[in-house]
Amino acid sequence: MPKVKPELFAFLDDSKIEATLSRLYTEALKQGWSMVFHFLPKAFKMFGKGIDWKMEKESFYDDKYIPILPYQGTFLYMQARALNAKNIVEFGTSFGISTIYLAKAAKDNGGKVISTEYMPHKVKIARQNIEEAGLSEYADIWEAMLEKL
Ligand SMILES: C[S@@+](CC[C@H](N)C(=O)[O-])C[C@H]1O[C@@H](n2cnc3c(N)ncnc32)[C@H](O)[C@@H]1O
């Protein structure tokens, strides 16, 4: 992940969103090494048969952001704007980074994003983060497991 610089989010033209994304990416960046050390012993498996995700300890992911990168967020925003998307659906909110990009696109398009996350504590914090960014009106976070929808 590139160094977190407010200029990365300047195109969104909103100081609250810029501040929230800067804070969230700074937190996510701190988790980089624990992710590397977690996956390093599994590197051979990853490029071979693949990881058996059912064997993964779910608790490891409790506090992990695993976010899209800023340039991917830029792409998401631009794509949603180019399509003039008004009804946006996302699976996997985590702590709300990608949802913030989509909610801003929804706001600018006159629409809304619905995102889902099955971990209740992530849903709670994502809603707080989205509120901090001033985008609550444009994002609904459903506490739901995709398979059960
Ligand atoms: C890679 S992270 C998403 C990162 C987020 N989109 C961002 O950019 O900040 C994946 C998230 O999806 C959630 N998740 C995984 N399987 C799910 C499912 N079946 N239904 C809902 N959420 C799920 C996980 O708990 C995790 O928080």
Side-chain angles (χ1 to χ4, degrees), residues 65-68 92-94 97-98 117-118 122 144-147:
Y65 282 73
I66 328 169
I68 56 165
T93 315
S94 189
I97 288 182
S98 51
E117 171 58 55
Y118 80 96
K122 284 191 169 182
M145 176 77 99
L146 175 58
E147 288 83 344

Side-chain angles (χ1 to χ4, degrees), residues 75-85 88 101 104-110:
F75 176 74
L76 271 189
Y77 173 82
M78 289 172 78
Q79 198 180 35
R81 290 287 283 139
L83 292 168
N84 196 24
I88 303 171
Y101 284 100
K104 174 66 164 102
K107 178 184 178 182
D108 294 344
N109 289 344

Side-chain angles (χ1 to χ4, degrees), residues 4 9 12 16-26 96-98 100-101 132-133:
V4 182
F9 319 114
L12 293 168
K16 267 175 130 178
I17 298 174
E18 210 172 279
T20 307
L21 285 176
S22 295
R23 180 180 68 76
L24 296 176
Y25 272 119
T26 302
I97 288 182
S98 51
I100 288 174
Y101 284 100
E132 180 186 308

